[in-house]
Amino acid sequence: MRVLSCSDADMYEQCSVSPFAIGFSTVASPPRRKDSIKVMHPPTSNTTTFNWAFFWLCSLLLSSLVWFITVQISNKDSSSQQKGLLIFGVVLSVLLQETFRFGYYKLLKKANEGLLMLSSEETMPISIQQLAYVSGLGFGFMSGAFSVVNILADSVGPGTIGIHGDSQHYFLSSAFMTMAIILLHMFWGVVFFDACEKQLWWSLAVVVSSHLLVSCLTFQNPQYVGSLVPTYIIMFLMGLWAFVCAGGSLRNLKFCLTCKDKDFLLAHHRPR
Amino acid sequence: MKDNCICVLMVCCVCNTPLHGLDFFVFLCFSDVNSNSVAQKIYVEVNNTVPCVRLLNATHQIGCQSSISGDTGVIHVLESEADLEWPLTKGPNPPYMILLESHLFTRSIMMKIKKESSRIAGVTVVVPNTSPSEFSPHTTCPNENTGVYSDTYGPHLAHCNTTVWNPLGNGLSYEEFDFPVFSLKEDKQCYYDHNRVVNGSAPQYPLCAMQLFSHMFAVTDTATCMRRNDVINFSINPEMVCDPLGDFNVWGSIRPYNRSQLGHRDNESVVMAAARLDSRAFFWDVSTGAEGSISGFVTLLAAAHALRDVTQVAPPTHNILFAFFQGEAFDYIGSSRMVYDMQNGKFVIDLDNVHSLLEIGQVKRLVDNFQSSATGANFSLVEPGVSQPLPPSSLQRFLRAQNIPGIVLADHRAAFNNKYYESYYDNADNLNLRYPPNMTAEEQLEFLTDTAMALTEVATVVARALYKQAGGDGTQVDNIKADSKTVTQMLFGFLVQANNSWFQALIPPELKDMLSDPPDFYVGVASSSPAKAKPLTRLVQFLLANLTGTATNLTQDQCQKPDDLPDESVQMYSYLWVQGTVPHNGTEKGPFCVRASVRLSQALSPAFDLGEYASRNYSTWTESRWKFIKARIFLVASRDLEMLTLGVGVAVLFSSLLVTYFISTKADVLFSSAREPASAAY
């Protein structure tokens, strides 16, 4: 499971891989009683990621279908109408994605309860935060892939954007935007699932509205500063929120950074 | 430009709108919706490009070549020869793509560029509107190795030792360039916006660049590429690398010959009249050859037309055979083939049957002499002394095989009068073909130009000479007159607009789309069947058939299968179903069947049939194959920006690796406050 965050695409197809999930297999191993369940984890997490990617694709397909139909029946010559349709399409897509996310949450909960009944464990084989993280990751991966592969394909070649007067920083900006969106999806996933667990509907509303905000910010392009800077601010805020939802705190962070984590673990009789 | 297509699941294409709603993409499978694909933002395709292609012969390769993935260079518009310093030595952003105005397309500039070709990606020449005062990219001594003069026969006359035929020739067509050279209709807006050199300082990035694709498959010489053709044919995907040049000769005669009887005919003595059809230029497929070849074969066609009636009424003693040779610009492909066929009994007559040969060469200046005289009376024909060699002509190939009496009719005593021999500029203007302003195409077709009237005079003289040479009745000579209307229509069709009503009337209905403008006279690669001959060749075939043949009453079915009828024979004549003219009262076109003794004979150099690809006796010209030829313009970014972007990417990669490692190893601690309630809840 890898998240592709590609910056630079002029002549080199360099994708900086930020493998937040390379360490996932170590993260996803809380205390076990039976070895068989330990073996089960990587497939579950893998499956979850790709299942979620598929769900995201379905939501995209549905929203594209709606947009496509509306474009066909609309007046193709009127540019204001087309722009309006685009905005409508964006909003619809965002709402559909969040709906699918919620639907998937429900599905996962049911699946996990079933899994729990089958096994003789008392605790869930995989915690809901981990599920949220993996779901967000799959979502982000798919979204990132769709964002960037097209642009990458055309960036292979000797030319760069600009002959018609567009900004030269198109590739760089789209790469950074993609990275932000992928991370955002991850954070949204964590916060969303957490909010659903704890029935905090206002958190849900904030997630959906921030998603809408970020998508609509891209209408600022080609003023890339106008779209990138707010997006990154929102990303950092969401990141902090997700960190807190996942169980982090300033205290824990201080322990880690000052290398007192071992002492912390020993004190709480917790094996690493 | 290629679409941005990702095929995911069952969906065909994704077209990216420019960052509008990165979350949101449209699945489209066709391009009629306005999709701003990224490629369209980057590249501007250049249309109507004319490349210079690679040709090979027994010893050399000539022409131009690009690398397999195209050659990219920063555009530099050359203002003068001194300006060459910038791209060749001083400029800081090599490689350069030099853009030349046509008056700067000279040998000295091209040779300088060729020497420093490591810094040059290619050359583009702007298509000119007016002709320079003189320009000939051909050699000074055309076809010097395949004529009749050689080191063993008339060595003082060989290799232009006595007369240099084309003194204005700069030989560019026969040079080898390892960079692409294109001819484009270029606008220099991109250059002026981005690449101007101001006060000697380098222009800033991003710079305007052009990429040219014209990768040629064949290398070294004909023997190598034909050998590779043979090898490749054994592989799973046979792909040829080169093709021999050639086409078909058109020939016709006053009295028909049975085409199944080949070789020597007893007691047959034929007067031949010959002209060449083709010409060439530096760039591929854009040659016209108005003075070089059109003036000659139009005159011969008019002479053949003039002889039609009188030879019915008072047939001459000898037969007259009209031959139009293709491929003469490339070491006499057509005439050497006909001579070879005659020598080997593969033609309806052989060399012993040839009584004499009259060839019509470049006859434009005979026109000039005519125009200077007011009444339009006869002009004078002068024979130069025996110390003067024959100019490059098909007659030389006949003389190489056998001593045959012959004449070449030309407007130059020594060197050519043609200032644009075998170049793009040998066009209608060179023949002084002028029409009054504000005329429609149909009116121009019918208008009698001075050039046409003069060429008519020449045609009349030629026809009378042929008739007398063939032993015709002396009293009938004055009745032979060429038709100036036919001549002017032919000149209009070949030089101005081929798709006109008169040409359309002469060709079959299924070929009516064959007439494309502008007409081009490059011989091209040989094809195996006469149905695939070049449009020009077929047009001359139908012209000759209509001008020398007779219209019959046969229906279309009978025209396809005339052997069913008692009087008709496909062995003696060819039967062509043509569209016919529109009568002046505007009723339907009347197609009819023309019966003429006009045939096509293959014009492929004997070297290819014999397998002698390194032959010194025959033409060995081949044309390389290529995959695609195109040009596009775009901006290029500076190397520094590219390296910076790469560096940023790598830095993000490593920092994210570090952060992930950090988080994953400390995960238990970092997320500990959530674990206790989580493990208790489930």
Side-chain angles (χ1 to χ4, degrees):
Chain A
M1 299 161 287
R2 315 214 303 185
V3 171
L4 285 176
S5 162
C6 302
S7 53
D8 176 33
D10 270 348
M11 275 176 85
Y12 308 96
E13 289 168 78
Q14 293 286 344
C15 288
S16 56
V17 174
S18 52
F20 282 100
I22 282 186
F24 181 71
S25 47
T26 54
V27 171
S29 40
R32 304 277 168 270
R33 289 203 201 139
K34 291 210 170 122
D35 283 351
S36 57
I37 297 175
K38 199 186 245 175
V39 171
M40 223 162 60
H41 288 297
T44 313
S45 48
N46 277 343
T47 323
T48 314
T49 312
F50 290 116
N51 284 344
W52 180 243
F54 176 73
F55 265 67
W56 183 85
L57 275 180
C58 287
S59 83
L60 192 64
L61 183 64
L62 208 58
S63 54
S64 305
L65 222 67
V66 173
W67 187 90
F68 181 67
I69 293 171
T70 49
V71 160
Q72 291 305 308
I73 60 181
S74 75
N75 176 13
K76 293 226 176 82
D77 295 324
S78 150
S79 67
S80 62
Q81 214 181 65
Q82 296 298 315
K83 179 106 180 166
L85 271 180
L86 200 59
I87 298 176
F88 160 71
V90 167
V91 170
L92 178 69
S93 172
V94 167
L95 293 176
L96 270 175
Q97 283 171 38
E98 297 300 331
T99 313
F100 269 68
R101 206 202 295 268
F102 184 73
Y104 196 54
Y105 164 76
K106 284 283 179 213
L107 193 69
L108 277 180
K109 285 280 287 186
K110 283 210 162 29
N112 265 334
E113 281 163 22
L115 215 58
L116 204 57
M117 278 199 284
L118 285 176
S119 73
S120 48
E121 287 285 305
E122 283 167 13
T123 62
M124 259 181 38
I126 182 168
S127 84
I128 201 71
Q129 282 90 4
Q130 287 157 0
L131 267 179
Y133 168 67
V134 175
S135 308
L137 198 60
F139 189 105
F141 164 68
M142 212 40 167
S143 168
F146 264 73
S147 294
V148 95
V149 174
N150 262 338
I151 301 177
L152 258 191
D154 280 321
S155 70
V156 174
T160 188
I161 290 208
I163 196 163
H164 294 296
D166 305 300
S167 159
Q168 260 232 305
H169 299 110
Y170 181 84
F171 291 130
L172 212 50
S173 316
S174 57
F176 275 110
M177 192 62 167
T178 309
M179 190 166 84
I181 296 270
I182 293 170
L183 292 173
L184 270 171
H185 274 304
M186 234 165 55
F187 301 147
W188 283 329
V190 171
V191 174
F192 191 96
F193 276 39
D194 190 62
C196 287
E197 284 293 303
K198 297 183 183 143
Q199 314 275 326
L200 295 170
W201 305 118
W202 64 270
S203 299
L204 221 61
V206 170
V207 165
V208 175
S209 49
S210 66
H211 191 170
L212 267 174
L213 181 63
V214 167
S215 288
C216 291
L217 274 174
T218 60
F219 284 108
Q220 293 267 42
N221 294 329
Q223 263 89 34
Y224 298 128
V225 176
S227 69
L228 275 178
V229 169
T231 307
Y232 269 79
I233 293 174
I234 294 178
M235 184 185 86
F236 280 122
L237 291 173
M238 290 300 303
L240 281 174
W241 192 0
F243 182 62
V244 168
C245 284
S249 67
L250 205 57
R251 184 179 67 123
N252 293 341
L253 194 60
K254 262 203 272 198
F255 275 136
C256 286
L257 286 174
T258 52
C259 295
K260 292 214 181 83
D261 50 325
K262 285 209 185 66
D263 307 331
F264 175 82
L265 284 174
L266 281 171
H268 289 77
H269 302 291
R270 217 177 254 123
R272 187 173 275 282
Chain B
M1 207 44 213
K2 65 175 182 190
D3 298 323
N4 294 323
C5 285
I6 294 182
C7 293
V8 180
L9 304 173
M10 305 147 292
V11 181
C12 311
C13 301
V14 176
C15 290
N16 189 9
T17 57
L19 287 191
H20 276 182
L22 254 181
D23 267 357
F24 169 73
F25 298 88
V26 180
F27 290 77
L28 289 171
C29 287
F30 43 85
S31 56
D32 61 352
V33 178
N34 182 19
S35 64
N36 296 327
S37 79
V38 179
Q40 282 170 9
K41 282 173 176 289
I42 304 180
Y43 301 108
V44 175
E45 297 286 327
V46 182
N47 297 324
N48 302 325
T49 57
V50 184
C52 136
V53 301
R54 175 172 278 174
L55 298 168
L56 307 102
N57 71 356
T59 48
H60 290 87
Q61 59 181 15
I62 65 173
C64 319
Q65 162 81 312
S66 84
S67 54
I68 193 160
S69 50
D71 283 316
T72 311
V74 171
I75 297 180
H76 179 78
V77 171
L78 208 68
E79 263 128 49
S80 65
E81 187 157 348
D83 200 19
L84 264 181
E85 281 248 333
W86 182 263
L88 292 184
T89 43
K90 282 205 318 228
N93 313 312
Y96 283 95
M97 182 71 65
I98 297 186
L99 207 123
L100 290 177
E101 294 284 348
S102 53
H103 68 270
L104 288 171
F105 186 54
T106 60
R107 188 179 174 87
S108 67
I109 290 184
M110 290 301 287
M111 287 299 124
K112 279 194 195 153
I113 294 175
K114 183 173 160 174
K115 255 202 290 210
E116 298 284 337
S117 61
S118 58
R119 279 176 61 105
I120 302 295
V123 173
T124 52
V125 181
V126 178
V127 170
N129 291 330
T130 55
S131 308
S133 56
E134 64 198 30
F135 180 76
S136 171
H138 209 80
T139 51
T140 50
C141 202
N143 292 344
E144 61 182 306
N145 294 318
T146 41
V148 68
Y149 305 110
S150 64
D151 295 331
T152 48
Y153 181 85
H156 58 288
L157 299 171
H159 303 296
C160 294
N161 283 333
T162 315
T163 314
V164 177
W165 296 111
N166 188 24
L168 300 170
N170 56 27
L172 274 179
S173 290
Y174 288 82
E175 289 289 335
E176 185 200 340
F177 299 105
D178 60 359
F179 48 82
V181 182
F182 274 51
S183 167
L184 307 171
K185 278 189 183 35
E186 177 58 24
D187 73 316
K188 306 189 194 132
Q189 196 52 43
C190 187
Y191 170 77
Y192 288 129
D193 288 341
H194 297 275
N195 291 16
R196 282 308 281 281
V197 176
V198 177
N199 294 337
S201 66
Q204 293 296 315
Y205 274 99
L207 294 175
C208 197
M210 192 189 297
Q211 186 175 34
L212 299 178
F213 294 85
S214 69
H215 180 69
M216 302 287 144
F217 292 157
V219 283
T220 319
D221 57 27
T222 293
T224 310
C225 87
M226 294 304 281
R227 187 184 70 228
R228 288 183 186 178
N229 276 352
D230 293 334
V231 165
I232 283 168
N233 270 331
F234 286 118
S235 74
I236 298 174
N237 289 330
E239 198 167 299
M240 311 274 277
V241 290
C242 69
D243 300 294
L245 290 181
D247 192 41
F248 287 86
N249 298 323
V250 182
W251 67 268
S253 53
I254 302 283
R255 293 198 285 271
Y257 285 117
N258 189 337
R259 70 171 178 190
S260 52
Q261 284 173 1
L262 304 172
H264 186 76
R265 281 171 196 266
D266 293 326
N267 302 327
E268 184 76 22
S269 191
V270 179
V271 172
M272 281 188 70
R276 63 180 274 198
L277 287 178
D278 71 316
S279 65
R280 67 163 303 195
F282 179 81
F283 294 105
W284 181 67
D285 232 16
V286 288
S287 56
T288 319
E291 183 176 345
S293 44
I294 295 183
S295 60
F297 77 76
V298 163
T299 309
L300 189 57
L301 281 170
H305 183 49
L307 281 172
R308 170 167 69 179
D309 294 331
V310 74
T311 50
Q312 308 272 354
V313 166
T317 323
H318 306 290
N319 200 357
I320 305 177
L321 189 142
F322 304 99
F324 297 86
F325 295 117
Q326 265 280 23
E328 297 298 275
F330 291 100
D331 289 333
Y332 308 118
I333 297 178
S335 51
S336 65
R337 180 55 183 241
M338 186 171 272
V339 169
Y340 175 80
D341 285 345
M342 284 181 178
Q343 283 173 318
N344 291 291
K346 293 192 189 139
F347 195 63
V348 291
I349 55 174
D350 81 349
L351 284 169
D352 294 326
N353 293 125
V354 177
H355 173 271
S356 51
L357 193 145
L358 164 64
E359 177 165 348
I360 309 188
Q362 304 180 72
V363 292
K364 177 206 168 200
R365 196 55 80 84
L366 289 170
V367 168
D368 287 348
N369 286 339
F370 168 76
Q371 282 170 337
S372 63
S373 78
T375 54
N378 296 333
F379 49 87
S380 58
L381 291 170
V382 175
E383 186 182 333
V386 294
S387 57
Q388 175 71 35
L390 279 175
S393 52
S394 316
L395 175 60
Q396 289 202 21
R397 290 302 302 197
F398 283 83
L399 289 175
R400 213 170 138 121
Q402 186 150 321
N403 276 336
I404 296 174
I407 288 181
V408 175
L409 188 65
D411 62 11
H412 52 91
R413 181 188 286 263
F416 293 155
N417 286 323
N418 189 354
K419 294 192 293 216
Y420 307 109
Y421 185 65
E422 310 284 35
S423 90
Y424 170 75
Y425 304 109
D426 193 4
N427 50 18
D429 288 335
N430 193 24
L431 270 189
N432 293 326
L433 207 61
R434 308 236 183 279
Y435 296 96
N438 299 330
M439 270 191 153
T440 64
E442 284 305 309
E443 286 166 359
Q444 284 180 340
L445 176 70
E446 308 278 323
F447 179 75
L448 284 176
T449 53
D450 289 337
T451 319
M453 305 236 269
L455 279 184
T456 314
E457 282 295 312
V458 181
T460 306
V461 168
V462 167
R464 290 180 182 175
L466 280 173
Y467 187 69
K468 284 200 274 201
Q469 181 75 356
D473 183 358
T475 56
Q476 297 284 337
V477 168
D478 288 333
N479 294 337
I480 301 175
K481 274 200 175 52
D483 180 22
S484 53
K485 185 150 172 293
T486 314
V487 174
T488 196
Q489 285 176 324
M490 282 197 283
L491 283 177
F492 178 79
F494 284 117
L495 287 169
V496 181
Q497 184 179 311
N499 195 3
N500 58 60
S501 58
W502 190 58
F503 276 4
Q504 286 284 351
L506 301 173
I507 60 178
E510 65 263 16
L511 291 177
K512 65 176 173 358
D513 297 324
M514 152 180 108
L515 300 171
S516 67
D517 285 309
D520 117 80
F521 298 84
Y522 170 62
V523 65
V525 298
S527 50
S528 48
S529 83
K532 295 206 201 103
K534 273 191 72 79
L536 164 70
T537 311
R538 305 223 63 198
L539 192 52
V540 170
Q541 176 196 12
F542 290 113
L543 261 175
L544 190 63
N546 275 284
L547 293 176
T548 59
T550 44
T552 62
N553 288 332
L554 294 155
T555 63
Q556 189 169 4
D557 291 329
Q558 287 171 332
C559 206
Q560 319 278 24
K561 289 205 182 74
D563 279 335
D564 298 339
L565 297 165
D567 294 331
E568 314 288 358
S569 162
V570 126
Q571 303 294 333
M572 300 294 278
Y573 296 99
S574 62
Y575 294 84
L576 306 166
W577 182 256
V578 301
Q579 289 192 109
T581 52
V582 181
H584 283 294
N585 47 9
T587 52
E588 293 284 312
K589 275 193 199 174
F592 60 94
C593 190
V594 170
R595 178 184 65 212
S597 55
V598 169
R599 303 232 182 251
L600 291 176
S601 84
Q602 183 156 49
L604 177 66
S605 171
F608 296 100
D609 279 1
L610 297 168
E612 294 169 6
Y613 304 129
S615 164
R616 295 280 174 168
N617 296 324
Y618 299 111
S619 163
T620 47
W621 286 103
T622 52
E623 182 187 275
S624 168
R625 284 206 186 186
W626 57 84
K627 198 102 181 219
F628 53 79
I629 291 191
K630 59 178 185 174
R632 55 186 186 178
I633 302 182
F634 44 86
L635 293 187
V636 283
S638 70
R639 199 136 183 92
D640 295 337
L641 182 63
E642 289 171 358
M643 285 298 143
L644 174 72
T645 323
L646 177 62
V648 166
V650 171
V652 170
L653 168 67
F654 280 121
S655 57
S656 55
L657 273 172
L658 279 172
V659 169
T660 308
Y661 178 72
F662 174 75
I663 293 181
S664 71
T665 48
K666 317 262 182 186
D668 285 341
V669 176
L670 270 179
F671 302 110
S672 58
S673 47
R675 271 177 209 272
E676 293 147 44
S679 53
Y682 301 102

